[in-house]
PDB file of all heavy atoms in Angstrom:
ATOM      1  N   THR A 142      34.611  -6.318 -15.561  1.00  0.00           N
ATOM      2  CA  THR A 142      35.262  -6.020 -16.840  1.00  0.00           C
ATOM      3  C   THR A 142      36.327  -7.083 -17.184  1.00  0.00           C
ATOM      4  O   THR A 142      36.426  -7.520 -18.321  1.00  0.00           O
ATOM      5  CB  THR A 142      35.907  -4.621 -16.792  1.00  0.00           C
ATOM      6  OG1 THR A 142      34.918  -3.702 -16.351  1.00  0.00           O
ATOM      7  CG2 THR A 142      36.403  -4.193 -18.137  1.00  0.00           C
ATOM      8  N   GLU A 143      37.105  -7.469 -16.166  1.00  0.00           N
ATOM      9  CA  GLU A 143      38.181  -8.455 -16.401  1.00  0.00           C
ATOM     10  C   GLU A 143      37.586  -9.780 -16.906  1.00  0.00           C
ATOM     11  O   GLU A 143      38.136 -10.403 -17.820  1.00  0.00           O
ATOM     12  CB  GLU A 143      38.983  -8.704 -15.119  1.00  0.00           C
ATOM     13  CG  GLU A 143      39.918  -7.579 -14.720  1.00  0.00           C
ATOM     14  CD  GLU A 143      39.210  -6.417 -14.069  1.00  0.00           C
ATOM     15  OE1 GLU A 143      37.994  -6.519 -13.800  1.00  0.00           O
ATOM     16  OE2 GLU A 143      39.849  -5.378 -13.840  1.00  0.00           O
ATOM     17  N   LEU A 146      36.499  -9.450 -20.500  1.00  0.00           N
ATOM     18  CA  LEU A 146      37.620  -9.505 -21.451  1.00  0.00           C
ATOM     19  C   LEU A 146      38.177 -10.919 -21.592  1.00  0.00           C
ATOM     20  O   LEU A 146      38.557 -11.340 -22.680  1.00  0.00           O
ATOM     21  CB  LEU A 146      38.737  -8.543 -21.018  1.00  0.00           C
ATOM     22  CG  LEU A 146      38.396  -7.050 -21.129  1.00  0.00           C
ATOM     23  CD1 LEU A 146      39.532  -6.186 -20.597  1.00  0.00           C
ATOM     24  CD2 LEU A 146      38.080  -6.680 -22.578  1.00  0.00           C
ATOM     25  N   GLU A 156      44.980  -5.799 -27.139  1.00  0.00           N
ATOM     26  CA  GLU A 156      45.624  -4.490 -27.004  1.00  0.00           C
ATOM     27  C   GLU A 156      44.531  -3.424 -26.932  1.00  0.00           C
ATOM     28  O   GLU A 156      43.475  -3.591 -27.521  1.00  0.00           O
ATOM     29  CB  GLU A 156      46.491  -4.216 -28.222  1.00  0.00           C
ATOM     30  CG  GLU A 156      47.842  -4.856 -28.178  1.00  0.00           C
ATOM     31  CD  GLU A 156      48.891  -3.949 -28.806  1.00  0.00           C
ATOM     32  OE1 GLU A 156      48.520  -3.197 -29.716  1.00  0.00           O
ATOM     33  OE2 GLU A 156      50.061  -4.015 -28.392  1.00  0.00           O
ATOM     34  N   VAL A 157      44.843  -2.336 -26.247  1.00  0.00           N
ATOM     35  CA  VAL A 157      43.883  -1.225 -26.196  1.00  0.00           C
ATOM     36  C   VAL A 157      44.107  -0.323 -27.404  1.00  0.00           C
ATOM     37  O   VAL A 157      45.234  -0.056 -27.795  1.00  0.00           O
ATOM     38  CB  VAL A 157      44.052  -0.416 -24.898  1.00  0.00           C
ATOM     39  CG1 VAL A 157      43.098   0.777 -24.891  1.00  0.00           C
ATOM     40  CG2 VAL A 157      43.801  -1.285 -23.691  1.00  0.00           C
ATOM     41  N   VAL A 159      42.082   3.168 -29.695  1.00  0.00           N
ATOM     42  CA  VAL A 159      41.040   4.204 -29.568  1.00  0.00           C
ATOM     43  C   VAL A 159      40.530   4.607 -30.942  1.00  0.00           C
ATOM     44  O   VAL A 159      41.251   4.488 -31.935  1.00  0.00           O
ATOM     45  CB  VAL A 159      41.531   5.467 -28.827  1.00  0.00           C
ATOM     46  CG1 VAL A 159      41.887   5.170 -27.399  1.00  0.00           C
ATOM     47  CG2 VAL A 159      42.671   6.130 -29.562  1.00  0.00           C
ATOM     48  N   TRP A 161      38.648   8.024 -32.660  1.00  0.00           N
ATOM     49  CA  TRP A 161      38.240   9.406 -32.404  1.00  0.00           C
ATOM     50  C   TRP A 161      36.876   9.640 -33.034  1.00  0.00           C
ATOM     51  O   TRP A 161      36.589   9.142 -34.131  1.00  0.00           O
ATOM     52  CB  TRP A 161      39.283  10.386 -32.950  1.00  0.00           C
ATOM     53  CG  TRP A 161      40.518  10.385 -32.116  1.00  0.00           C
ATOM     54  CD1 TRP A 161      41.603   9.588 -32.249  1.00  0.00           C
ATOM     55  CD2 TRP A 161      40.769  11.209 -30.965  1.00  0.00           C
ATOM     56  NE1 TRP A 161      42.532   9.840 -31.262  1.00  0.00           N
ATOM     57  CE2 TRP A 161      42.037  10.840 -30.446  1.00  0.00           C
ATOM     58  CE3 TRP A 161      40.050  12.218 -30.302  1.00  0.00           C
ATOM     59  CZ2 TRP A 161      42.596  11.444 -29.324  1.00  0.00           C
ATOM     60  CZ3 TRP A 161      40.607  12.811 -29.182  1.00  0.00           C
ATOM     61  CH2 TRP A 161      41.856  12.420 -28.702  1.00  0.00           C
ATOM     62  N   ASN A 179      28.643  13.085 -26.323  1.00  0.00           N
ATOM     63  CA  ASN A 179      29.648  14.093 -25.980  1.00  0.00           C
ATOM     64  C   ASN A 179      31.079  13.559 -25.940  1.00  0.00           C
ATOM     65  O   ASN A 179      32.000  14.346 -25.682  1.00  0.00           O
ATOM     66  CB  ASN A 179      29.296  14.783 -24.646  1.00  0.00           C
ATOM     67  CG  ASN A 179      29.221  13.781 -23.517  1.00  0.00           C
ATOM     68  OD1 ASN A 179      29.447  12.595 -23.736  1.00  0.00           O
ATOM     69  ND2 ASN A 179      28.901  14.245 -22.318  1.00  0.00           N
ATOM     70  N   ALA A 180      31.282  12.269 -26.196  1.00  0.00           N
ATOM     71  CA  ALA A 180      32.656  11.743 -26.141  1.00  0.00           C
ATOM     72  C   ALA A 180      33.450  12.172 -27.376  1.00  0.00           C
ATOM     73  O   ALA A 180      32.905  12.250 -28.474  1.00  0.00           O
ATOM     74  CB  ALA A 180      32.620  10.217 -26.043  1.00  0.00           C
ATOM     75  N   LEU A 181      34.737  12.468 -27.175  1.00  0.00           N
ATOM     76  CA  LEU A 181      35.604  12.791 -28.305  1.00  0.00           C
ATOM     77  C   LEU A 181      36.340  11.567 -28.807  1.00  0.00           C
ATOM     78  O   LEU A 181      36.803  11.545 -29.942  1.00  0.00           O
ATOM     79  CB  LEU A 181      36.623  13.872 -27.895  1.00  0.00           C
ATOM     80  CG  LEU A 181      36.062  15.268 -27.606  1.00  0.00           C
ATOM     81  CD1 LEU A 181      37.201  16.216 -27.239  1.00  0.00           C
ATOM     82  CD2 LEU A 181      35.323  15.808 -28.810  1.00  0.00           C
ATOM     83  N   ARG A 182      36.500  10.586 -27.941  1.00  0.00           N
ATOM     84  CA  ARG A 182      37.117   9.335 -28.400  1.00  0.00           C
ATOM     85  C   ARG A 182      36.602   8.186 -27.552  1.00  0.00           C
ATOM     86  O   ARG A 182      36.068   8.403 -26.455  1.00  0.00           O
ATOM     87  CB  ARG A 182      38.651   9.416 -28.355  1.00  0.00           C
ATOM     88  CG  ARG A 182      39.248   9.278 -26.988  1.00  0.00           C
ATOM     89  CD  ARG A 182      40.768   9.268 -27.020  1.00  0.00           C
ATOM     90  NE  ARG A 182      41.278   8.605 -25.834  1.00  0.00           N
ATOM     91  CZ  ARG A 182      42.570   8.573 -25.477  1.00  0.00           C
ATOM     92  NH1 ARG A 182      43.475   9.158 -26.218  1.00  0.00           N
ATOM     93  NH2 ARG A 182      42.947   7.939 -24.391  1.00  0.00           N
ATOM     94  N   ILE A 183      36.754   6.966 -28.074  1.00  0.00           N
ATOM     95  CA  ILE A 183      36.277   5.762 -27.357  1.00  0.00           C
ATOM     96  C   ILE A 183      37.384   4.713 -27.406  1.00  0.00           C
ATOM     97  O   ILE A 183      37.928   4.421 -28.474  1.00  0.00           O
ATOM     98  CB  ILE A 183      34.975   5.226 -27.986  1.00  0.00           C
ATOM     99  CG1 ILE A 183      33.848   6.243 -27.786  1.00  0.00           C
ATOM    100  CG2 ILE A 183      34.585   3.877 -27.387  1.00  0.00           C
ATOM    101  CD1 ILE A 183      32.534   5.886 -28.464  1.00  0.00           C
ATOM    102  N   SER A 184      37.705   4.161 -26.250  1.00  0.00           N
ATOM    103  CA  SER A 184      38.712   3.089 -26.184  1.00  0.00           C
ATOM    104  C   SER A 184      38.050   1.737 -26.378  1.00  0.00           C
ATOM    105  O   SER A 184      36.892   1.556 -25.999  1.00  0.00           O
ATOM    106  CB  SER A 184      39.398   3.094 -24.812  1.00  0.00           C
ATOM    107  OG  SER A 184      40.108   4.277 -24.609  1.00  0.00           O
ATOM    108  N   TRP A 186      39.180  -2.797 -26.993  1.00  0.00           N
ATOM    109  CA  TRP A 186      40.232  -3.796 -26.978  1.00  0.00           C
ATOM    110  C   TRP A 186      40.191  -4.571 -28.293  1.00  0.00           C
ATOM    111  O   TRP A 186      39.098  -4.836 -28.833  1.00  0.00           O
ATOM    112  CB  TRP A 186      40.033  -4.789 -25.825  1.00  0.00           C
ATOM    113  CG  TRP A 186      40.168  -4.164 -24.464  1.00  0.00           C
ATOM    114  CD1 TRP A 186      41.288  -4.147 -23.675  1.00  0.00           C
ATOM    115  CD2 TRP A 186      39.156  -3.501 -23.704  1.00  0.00           C
ATOM    116  NE1 TRP A 186      41.018  -3.494 -22.497  1.00  0.00           N
ATOM    117  CE2 TRP A 186      39.730  -3.084 -22.480  1.00  0.00           C
ATOM    118  CE3 TRP A 186      37.812  -3.184 -23.934  1.00  0.00           C
ATOM    119  CZ2 TRP A 186      39.026  -2.401 -21.497  1.00  0.00           C
ATOM    120  CZ3 TRP A 186      37.109  -2.491 -22.972  1.00  0.00           C
ATOM    121  CH2 TRP A 186      37.698  -2.113 -21.772  1.00  0.00           C
ATOM    122  N   ASP A 197      28.519   2.877 -21.876  1.00  0.00           N
ATOM    123  CA  ASP A 197      27.392   3.178 -20.983  1.00  0.00           C
ATOM    124  C   ASP A 197      26.280   3.819 -21.802  1.00  0.00           C
ATOM    125  O   ASP A 197      26.541   4.660 -22.660  1.00  0.00           O
ATOM    126  CB  ASP A 197      27.825   4.188 -19.911  1.00  0.00           C
ATOM    127  CG  ASP A 197      28.545   3.519 -18.748  1.00  0.00           C
ATOM    128  OD1 ASP A 197      28.566   2.274 -18.707  1.00  0.00           O
ATOM    129  OD2 ASP A 197      29.090   4.234 -17.904  1.00  0.00           O
ATOM    130  N   LYS A 203      19.348   5.859 -15.322  1.00  0.00           N
ATOM    131  CA  LYS A 203      20.718   5.543 -14.934  1.00  0.00           C
ATOM    132  C   LYS A 203      21.445   4.841 -16.086  1.00  0.00           C
ATOM    133  O   LYS A 203      20.810   4.152 -16.889  1.00  0.00           O
ATOM    134  CB  LYS A 203      20.714   4.586 -13.741  1.00  0.00           C
ATOM    135  CG  LYS A 203      20.021   5.121 -12.515  1.00  0.00           C
ATOM    136  CD  LYS A 203      20.959   5.991 -11.733  1.00  0.00           C
ATOM    137  CE  LYS A 203      20.289   6.515 -10.467  1.00  0.00           C
ATOM    138  NZ  LYS A 203      21.137   7.496  -9.788  1.00  0.00           N
ATOM    139  N   PRO A 204      22.773   4.987 -16.147  1.00  0.00           N
ATOM    140  CA  PRO A 204      23.512   4.324 -17.218  1.00  0.00           C
ATOM    141  C   PRO A 204      23.563   2.802 -17.032  1.00  0.00           C
ATOM    142  O   PRO A 204      23.786   2.312 -15.921  1.00  0.00           O
ATOM    143  CB  PRO A 204      24.913   4.931 -17.132  1.00  0.00           C
ATOM    144  CG  PRO A 204      25.025   5.500 -15.770  1.00  0.00           C
ATOM    145  CD  PRO A 204      23.646   5.835 -15.298  1.00  0.00           C
ATOM    146  N   ARG A 225      21.844  -0.470 -13.358  1.00  0.00           N
ATOM    147  CA  ARG A 225      21.582   0.444 -12.236  1.00  0.00           C
ATOM    148  C   ARG A 225      20.127   0.915 -12.167  1.00  0.00           C
ATOM    149  O   ARG A 225      19.770   1.646 -11.263  1.00  0.00           O
ATOM    150  CB  ARG A 225      22.491   1.672 -12.356  1.00  0.00           C
ATOM    151  CG  ARG A 225      23.982   1.326 -12.405  1.00  0.00           C
ATOM    152  CD  ARG A 225      24.834   2.555 -12.612  1.00  0.00           C
ATOM    153  NE  ARG A 225      26.243   2.229 -12.699  1.00  0.00           N
ATOM    154  CZ  ARG A 225      26.875   1.936 -13.811  1.00  0.00           C
ATOM    155  NH1 ARG A 225      26.252   1.917 -14.957  1.00  0.00           N
ATOM    156  NH2 ARG A 225      28.172   1.635 -13.791  1.00  0.00           N
TER     157      ARG A 225
ATOM    158  N   ARG B 271      28.841  10.145  -8.277  1.00  0.00           N
ATOM    159  CA  ARG B 271      28.818  11.025  -9.454  1.00  0.00           C
ATOM    160  C   ARG B 271      30.082  11.869  -9.448  1.00  0.00           C
ATOM    161  O   ARG B 271      30.400  12.487  -8.414  1.00  0.00           O
ATOM    162  CB  ARG B 271      27.605  11.953  -9.443  1.00  0.00           C
ATOM    163  CG  ARG B 271      26.301  11.213  -9.599  1.00  0.00           C
ATOM    164  CD  ARG B 271      25.166  12.214  -9.576  1.00  0.00           C
ATOM    165  NE  ARG B 271      23.903  11.516  -9.369  1.00  0.00           N
ATOM    166  CZ  ARG B 271      22.777  12.122  -8.993  1.00  0.00           C
ATOM    167  NH1 ARG B 271      22.763  13.425  -8.803  1.00  0.00           N
ATOM    168  NH2 ARG B 271      21.674  11.432  -8.813  1.00  0.00           N
ATOM    169  N   GLU B 281      29.183   8.674 -13.991  1.00  0.00           N
ATOM    170  CA  GLU B 281      28.358   8.138 -12.903  1.00  0.00           C
ATOM    171  C   GLU B 281      28.816   6.713 -12.622  1.00  0.00           C
ATOM    172  O   GLU B 281      29.391   6.051 -13.481  1.00  0.00           O
ATOM    173  CB  GLU B 281      26.891   8.160 -13.336  1.00  0.00           C
ATOM    174  CG  GLU B 281      25.957   7.875 -12.201  1.00  0.00           C
ATOM    175  CD  GLU B 281      24.522   8.314 -12.459  1.00  0.00           C
ATOM    176  OE1 GLU B 281      24.258   8.850 -13.552  1.00  0.00           O
ATOM    177  OE2 GLU B 281      23.674   8.107 -11.596  1.00  0.00           O
ATOM    178  N   PHE B 295      45.849  16.430 -21.858  1.00  0.00           N
ATOM    179  CA  PHE B 295      44.567  16.178 -21.169  1.00  0.00           C
ATOM    180  C   PHE B 295      44.636  16.548 -19.708  1.00  0.00           C
ATOM    181  O   PHE B 295      45.723  16.618 -19.118  1.00  0.00           O
ATOM    182  CB  PHE B 295      44.215  14.679 -21.218  1.00  0.00           C
ATOM    183  CG  PHE B 295      44.075  14.103 -22.591  1.00  0.00           C
ATOM    184  CD1 PHE B 295      44.993  13.186 -23.080  1.00  0.00           C
ATOM    185  CD2 PHE B 295      43.010  14.463 -23.398  1.00  0.00           C
ATOM    186  CE1 PHE B 295      44.863  12.630 -24.335  1.00  0.00           C
ATOM    187  CE2 PHE B 295      42.865  13.920 -24.664  1.00  0.00           C
ATOM    188  CZ  PHE B 295      43.797  12.999 -25.132  1.00  0.00           C
ATOM    189  N   LEU B 306      39.014  11.483 -19.062  1.00  0.00           N
ATOM    190  CA  LEU B 306      39.884  12.458 -19.728  1.00  0.00           C
ATOM    191  C   LEU B 306      39.070  13.690 -20.127  1.00  0.00           C
ATOM    192  O   LEU B 306      37.960  13.569 -20.656  1.00  0.00           O
ATOM    193  CB  LEU B 306      40.520  11.852 -20.992  1.00  0.00           C
ATOM    194  CG  LEU B 306      41.209  10.490 -20.846  1.00  0.00           C
ATOM    195  CD1 LEU B 306      41.904  10.127 -22.161  1.00  0.00           C
ATOM    196  CD2 LEU B 306      42.208  10.504 -19.712  1.00  0.00           C
ATOM    197  N   THR B 308      39.639  17.798 -21.919  1.00  0.00           N
ATOM    198  CA  THR B 308      40.623  18.681 -22.555  1.00  0.00           C
ATOM    199  C   THR B 308      40.941  19.806 -21.588  1.00  0.00           C
ATOM    200  O   THR B 308      40.228  20.021 -20.607  1.00  0.00           O
ATOM    201  CB  THR B 308      40.048  19.296 -23.854  1.00  0.00           C
ATOM    202  OG1 THR B 308      38.937  20.120 -23.503  1.00  0.00           O
ATOM    203  CG2 THR B 308      39.588  18.224 -24.823  1.00  0.00           C
ATOM    204  N   VAL B 312      36.458  20.161 -21.940  1.00  0.00           N
ATOM    205  CA  VAL B 312      35.523  19.349 -22.743  1.00  0.00           C
ATOM    206  C   VAL B 312      35.786  17.877 -22.436  1.00  0.00           C
ATOM    207  O   VAL B 312      36.938  17.435 -22.401  1.00  0.00           O
ATOM    208  CB  VAL B 312      35.719  19.625 -24.254  1.00  0.00           C
ATOM    209  CG1 VAL B 312      34.842  18.709 -25.095  1.00  0.00           C
ATOM    210  CG2 VAL B 312      35.438  21.088 -24.559  1.00  0.00           C
ATOM    211  N   PHE B 313      34.692  17.121 -22.260  1.00  0.00           N
ATOM    212  CA  PHE B 313      34.799  15.689 -21.969  1.00  0.00           C
ATOM    213  C   PHE B 313      35.384  14.936 -23.170  1.00  0.00           C
ATOM    214  O   PHE B 313      34.950  15.136 -24.304  1.00  0.00           O
ATOM    215  CB  PHE B 313      33.410  15.145 -21.640  1.00  0.00           C
ATOM    216  CG  PHE B 313      33.362  13.671 -21.382  1.00  0.00           C
ATOM    217  CD1 PHE B 313      33.789  13.143 -20.178  1.00  0.00           C
ATOM    218  CD2 PHE B 313      32.879  12.804 -22.356  1.00  0.00           C
ATOM    219  CE1 PHE B 313      33.743  11.771 -19.927  1.00  0.00           C
ATOM    220  CE2 PHE B 313      32.821  11.429 -22.120  1.00  0.00           C
ATOM    221  CZ  PHE B 313      33.258  10.921 -20.907  1.00  0.00           C
ATOM    222  N   VAL B 314      36.389  14.101 -22.924  1.00  0.00           N
ATOM    223  CA  VAL B 314      36.989  13.298 -24.007  1.00  0.00           C
ATOM    224  C   VAL B 314      36.462  11.866 -23.947  1.00  0.00           C
ATOM    225  O   VAL B 314      35.843  11.379 -24.903  1.00  0.00           O
ATOM    226  CB  VAL B 314      38.521  13.305 -23.933  1.00  0.00           C
ATOM    227  CG1 VAL B 314      39.121  12.426 -25.030  1.00  0.00           C
ATOM    228  CG2 VAL B 314      39.048  14.726 -24.061  1.00  0.00           C
ATOM    229  N   GLU B 315      36.706  11.199 -22.829  1.00  0.00           N
ATOM    230  CA  GLU B 315      36.157   9.838 -22.685  1.00  0.00           C
ATOM    231  C   GLU B 315      36.357   9.335 -21.280  1.00  0.00           C
ATOM    232  O   GLU B 315      37.174   9.867 -20.517  1.00  0.00           O
ATOM    233  CB  GLU B 315      36.811   8.849 -23.669  1.00  0.00           C
ATOM    234  CG  GLU B 315      38.205   8.423 -23.286  1.00  0.00           C
ATOM    235  CD  GLU B 315      38.653   7.120 -23.940  1.00  0.00           C
ATOM    236  OE1 GLU B 315      37.803   6.245 -24.214  1.00  0.00           O
ATOM    237  OE2 GLU B 315      39.844   6.970 -24.175  1.00  0.00           O
ATOM    238  N   ARG B 316      35.591   8.281 -20.938  1.00  0.00           N
ATOM    239  CA  ARG B 316      35.868   7.523 -19.722  1.00  0.00           C
ATOM    240  C   ARG B 316      36.543   6.246 -20.182  1.00  0.00           C
ATOM    241  O   ARG B 316      35.941   5.433 -20.893  1.00  0.00           O
ATOM    242  CB  ARG B 316      34.586   7.201 -18.964  1.00  0.00           C
ATOM    243  CG  ARG B 316      34.861   6.411 -17.681  1.00  0.00           C
ATOM    244  CD  ARG B 316      33.614   6.183 -16.893  1.00  0.00           C
ATOM    245  NE  ARG B 316      33.885   5.326 -15.742  1.00  0.00           N
ATOM    246  CZ  ARG B 316      32.959   4.912 -14.909  1.00  0.00           C
ATOM    247  NH1 ARG B 316      31.708   5.270 -15.091  1.00  0.00           N
ATOM    248  NH2 ARG B 316      33.275   4.123 -13.902  1.00  0.00           N
ATOM    249  N   MET B 317      37.795   6.096 -19.780  1.00  0.00           N
ATOM    250  CA  MET B 317      38.636   5.028 -20.337  1.00  0.00           C
ATOM    251  C   MET B 317      38.811   3.916 -19.305  1.00  0.00           C
ATOM    252  O   MET B 317      39.449   4.142 -18.261  1.00  0.00           O
ATOM    253  CB  MET B 317      39.982   5.693 -20.669  1.00  0.00           C
ATOM    254  CG  MET B 317      41.054   4.835 -21.120  1.00  0.00           C
ATOM    255  SD  MET B 317      42.546   5.892 -21.263  1.00  0.00           S
ATOM    256  CE  MET B 317      43.747   4.618 -21.481  1.00  0.00           C
ATOM    257  N   PRO B 318      38.274   2.728 -19.548  1.00  0.00           N
ATOM    258  CA  PRO B 318      38.450   1.630 -18.586  1.00  0.00           C
ATOM    259  C   PRO B 318      39.910   1.192 -18.560  1.00  0.00           C
ATOM    260  O   PRO B 318      40.593   1.229 -19.581  1.00  0.00           O
ATOM    261  CB  PRO B 318      37.566   0.510 -19.144  1.00  0.00           C
ATOM    262  CG  PRO B 318      36.849   1.072 -20.314  1.00  0.00           C
ATOM    263  CD  PRO B 318      37.551   2.299 -20.750  1.00  0.00           C
ATOM    264  N   ALA B 320      40.863  -1.870 -17.355  1.00  0.00           N
ATOM    265  CA  ALA B 320      40.936  -3.336 -17.298  1.00  0.00           C
ATOM    266  C   ALA B 320      41.890  -3.850 -18.364  1.00  0.00           C
ATOM    267  O   ALA B 320      41.894  -3.368 -19.490  1.00  0.00           O
ATOM    268  CB  ALA B 320      39.549  -3.925 -17.522  1.00  0.00           C
ATOM    269  N   GLN B 322      44.967  -3.421 -18.465  1.00  0.00           N
ATOM    270  CA  GLN B 322      46.168  -2.592 -18.578  1.00  0.00           C
ATOM    271  C   GLN B 322      47.049  -2.683 -17.342  1.00  0.00           C
ATOM    272  O   GLN B 322      48.246  -2.450 -17.421  1.00  0.00           O
ATOM    273  CB  GLN B 322      45.776  -1.134 -18.810  1.00  0.00           C
ATOM    274  CG  GLN B 322      44.970  -0.940 -20.080  1.00  0.00           C
ATOM    275  CD  GLN B 322      45.646   0.065 -20.975  1.00  0.00           C
ATOM    276  OE1 GLN B 322      46.817  -0.033 -21.270  1.00  0.00           O
ATOM    277  NE2 GLN B 322      44.889   1.032 -21.409  1.00  0.00           N
ATOM    278  N   GLN B 351      49.870   9.263 -26.227  1.00  0.00           N
ATOM    279  CA  GLN B 351      48.476   9.547 -26.542  1.00  0.00           C
ATOM    280  C   GLN B 351      47.526   9.181 -25.397  1.00  0.00           C
ATOM    281  O   GLN B 351      46.321   9.339 -25.523  1.00  0.00           O
ATOM    282  CB  GLN B 351      48.045   8.744 -27.792  1.00  0.00           C
ATOM    283  CG  GLN B 351      48.810   9.106 -29.046  1.00  0.00           C
ATOM    284  CD  GLN B 351      48.590  10.551 -29.434  1.00  0.00           C
ATOM    285  OE1 GLN B 351      47.471  11.031 -29.444  1.00  0.00           O
ATOM    286  NE2 GLN B 351      49.672  11.268 -29.722  1.00  0.00           N
ATOM    287  N   LEU B 352      48.080   8.689 -24.305  1.00  0.00           N
ATOM    288  CA  LEU B 352      47.300   8.236 -23.161  1.00  0.00           C
ATOM    289  C   LEU B 352      46.285   7.160 -23.581  1.00  0.00           C
ATOM    290  O   LEU B 352      45.088   7.248 -23.327  1.00  0.00           O
ATOM    291  CB  LEU B 352      46.566   9.412 -22.495  1.00  0.00           C
ATOM    292  CG  LEU B 352      46.293   9.236 -21.008  1.00  0.00           C
ATOM    293  CD1 LEU B 352      47.576   9.180 -20.204  1.00  0.00           C
ATOM    294  CD2 LEU B 352      45.412  10.330 -20.481  1.00  0.00           C
ATOM    295  N   VAL B 353      46.812   6.165 -24.288  1.00  0.00           N
ATOM    296  CA  VAL B 353      45.968   5.049 -24.721  1.00  0.00           C
ATOM    297  C   VAL B 353      46.372   3.785 -23.941  1.00  0.00           C
ATOM    298  O   VAL B 353      45.527   3.072 -23.424  1.00  0.00           O
ATOM    299  CB  VAL B 353      46.123   4.790 -26.248  1.00  0.00           C
ATOM    300  CG1 VAL B 353      45.370   3.535 -26.661  1.00  0.00           C
ATOM    301  CG2 VAL B 353      45.643   6.008 -27.019  1.00  0.00           C
ATOM    302  N   ARG B 354      47.681   3.530 -23.861  1.00  0.00           N
ATOM    303  CA  ARG B 354      48.161   2.297 -23.207  1.00  0.00           C
ATOM    304  C   ARG B 354      49.072   2.619 -22.033  1.00  0.00           C
ATOM    305  O   ARG B 354      49.793   3.620 -22.035  1.00  0.00           O
ATOM    306  CB  ARG B 354      48.936   1.441 -24.219  1.00  0.00           C
ATOM    307  CG  ARG B 354      48.076   1.007 -25.376  1.00  0.00           C
ATOM    308  CD  ARG B 354      48.843   0.131 -26.356  1.00  0.00           C
ATOM    309  NE  ARG B 354      48.077  -0.018 -27.577  1.00  0.00           N
ATOM    310  CZ  ARG B 354      48.218   0.769 -28.630  1.00  0.00           C
ATOM    311  NH1 ARG B 354      49.129   1.718 -28.628  1.00  0.00           N
ATOM    312  NH2 ARG B 354      47.467   0.599 -29.715  1.00  0.00           N
TER     313      ARG B 354
END
Side-chain angles (χ1 to χ4, degrees):
Chain A
T142 308
E143 286 78 7
L146 291 177
E156 278 216 330
V157 177
V159 295
W161 287 88
N179 60 1
L181 292 181
R182 78 176 203 188
I183 294 175
S184 296
W186 295 264
D197 278 351
K203 301 276 182 188
R225 303 176 181 89
Chain B
R271 293 180 195 164
E281 191 162 0
F295 300 111
L306 310 186
T308 64
V312 176
F313 177 78
V314 177
E315 76 159 329
R316 181 176 175 183
M317 175 186 169
Q322 299 237 51
Q351 298 298 314
L352 208 65
V353 174
R354 298 182 192 93

